[in-house]
Amino acid sequence: MSTILTTENLSLFYGKKEALKGINIDFDDKGITALIGPSGCGKSTFLRCLNRMNDLIPNVTITGEVNFNGHNIYAPTTDTVQLRKEIGMVFQQPNPFPFSIYENVVYGLRLAGVHDKERLDAAVEKSLKQAAIWDEVKDRLHANALSLSGGQQQRVCIARVLAVEPDIILLDEATSALDPISSRMIEETLLNLRQDYTIITVTHNMQQASRISDRTAFFLNGELIEVNDTKQIFMNPVKQETNDYISGRFG
Ligand SMILES: Nc1ncnc2c1ncn2[C@@H]1O[C@H](COP(=O)(O)OP(=O)(O)OP(=O)(O)O)[C@@H](O)[C@H]1O
């Protein structure tokens, strides 16, 4: 298995507060990694470091490296717009633009200068199929995306990320605002995507982590305590803190 993304001694400070403490982790090319840990342990902060979303937050200092396909994304020459296409992100609250479903999906392609209708149509169909929502919306592609249910909106947001053909998809608690059925549909979607994409998902839901992820990383107080195959983490963790967390002793 080759590695697509590696962090080296990655630390992040909000002002003087150290929220991430020297994280070293490798992500395999393809498959799903779940990031788990109690509230405030730095999971979302870490996730946002992986496509430089923390650049947008004032007073943030980041040290160390994030190497994506061998290049440090924090190098001054990095084109962050391009980076965020290659490493796309889905957020906790579905955030479609107030446009049609079709325009949501082609948004990134239009920004990249793609205007050919056939190409855009093909991308819409392919991405909505990959996000497992094509059948539900194919007859109303020009309806406003905000008219969809929350779960449908979230799958459109996944399609919007997929349309620009990313290598990595980051999800920050992407199912926690959804009802259980919608949440399971997103899980199914991710399982169908795991062969073709590297997926890194923050989740509070340990059942979800064990159902869908190949690897699980446990964070605590800004530190990466343990990362391993998901079965190993849940059945036979190496570290006492991991064991305490997964057996519900804290968090
Ligand atoms: N923009 C910010 N400014 C200052 N401190 C922040 C900011 N965002 C997060 N923090 C702090 O950094 C720490 C890590 O937060 P983060 O949101 O990454 O944790 P988390 O594990 O994702 O938590 P949760 O599971 O509750 O979402 C927390 O102490 C939080 O209060």
Side-chain angles (χ1 to χ4, degrees):
M1 186 69 81
S2 62
T3 298
I4 187 168
L5 191 72
T6 301
T7 73
E8 278 176 34
N9 211 13
L10 180 72
S11 295
L12 180 143
F13 296 80
Y14 291 113
K16 289 192 175 137
K17 180 188 155 60
E18 190 174 19
L20 291 177
K21 302 172 185 167
I23 308 293
N24 293 293
I25 186 170
D26 293 343
F27 293 96
D28 294 336
D29 191 11
K30 315 282 189 274
I32 303 179
T33 302
L35 310 182
I36 63 167
S39 193
C41 69
K43 306 176 296 291
S44 300
T45 298
F46 175 73
L47 194 77
R48 288 195 302 262
C49 284
L50 303 181
N51 71 348
R52 291 188 52 172
M53 291 296 278
N54 288 317
D55 286 16
L56 312 173
I57 301 174
N59 293 323
V60 165
T61 310
I62 296 168
T63 59
E65 291 187 4
V66 177
N67 291 305
F68 170 44
N69 284 328
H71 297 282
N72 181 13
I73 66 169
Y74 284 93
T77 49
T78 299
D79 173 349
T80 50
V81 173
Q82 179 61 25
L83 175 73
R84 292 181 194 132
K85 279 188 201 142
E86 291 164 349
I87 307 182
M89 196 160 201
V90 180
F91 298 88
Q92 180 172 15
Q93 290 295 337
N95 60 349
F97 303 125
F99 319 142
S100 68
I101 296 164
Y102 184 100
E103 286 304 324
N104 266 275
V105 179
V106 300
Y107 187 81
L109 292 172
R110 284 205 197 278
L111 275 186
V114 179
H115 298 299
D116 177 61
K117 186 171 179 308
E118 273 180 32
R119 206 173 139 199
L120 295 175
D121 288 354
V124 167
E125 182 169 344
K126 182 178 174 202
S127 311
L128 290 170
K129 280 183 173 165
Q130 284 180 301
I133 190 173
W134 172 250
D135 288 339
E136 288 162 67
V137 300
K138 64 176 189 267
D139 299 325
R140 48 173 170 150
L141 292 175
H142 298 286
N144 194 309
L146 296 174
S147 67
L148 299 171
S149 73
Q152 289 173 324
Q153 290 184 14
Q154 195 64 306
R155 280 177 285 144
V156 167
C157 292
I158 293 174
R160 184 173 65 189
V161 167
L162 290 170
V164 293
E165 302 189 343
D167 295 311
I168 301 179
I169 305 169
L170 310 176
L171 299 110
D172 194 355
E173 293 185 45
T175 65
S176 64
L178 306 179
D179 64 86
I181 292 172
S182 300
S183 175
R184 287 305 271 264
M185 287 172 96
I186 303 267
E187 287 186 19
E188 288 299 317
T189 306
L190 298 179
L191 285 170
N192 288 331
L193 294 172
R194 62 177 277 282
Q195 283 181 335
D196 297 316
Y197 297 89
T198 300
I199 296 170
I200 304 172
T201 176
V202 166
T203 180
H204 268 126
N205 181 332
M206 284 195 274
Q207 284 79 19
Q208 179 176 78
S210 67
R211 274 195 299 269
I212 68 169
S213 69
D214 302 287
R215 309 228 336 135
T216 295
F218 172 60
F219 284 76
L220 184 63
N221 296 331
E223 290 179 55
L224 173 63
I225 303 296
E226 185 170 352
V227 55
N228 212 329
D229 289 350
T230 294
K231 278 204 183 85
Q232 182 81 30
I233 290 282
F234 284 100
M235 309 286 288
N236 192 16
V238 172
K239 297 281 173 61
Q240 184 62 40
E241 295 99 313
T242 316
N243 195 31
D244 288 348
Y245 182 68
I246 59 160
S247 54
R249 284 197 198 103
F250 64 89

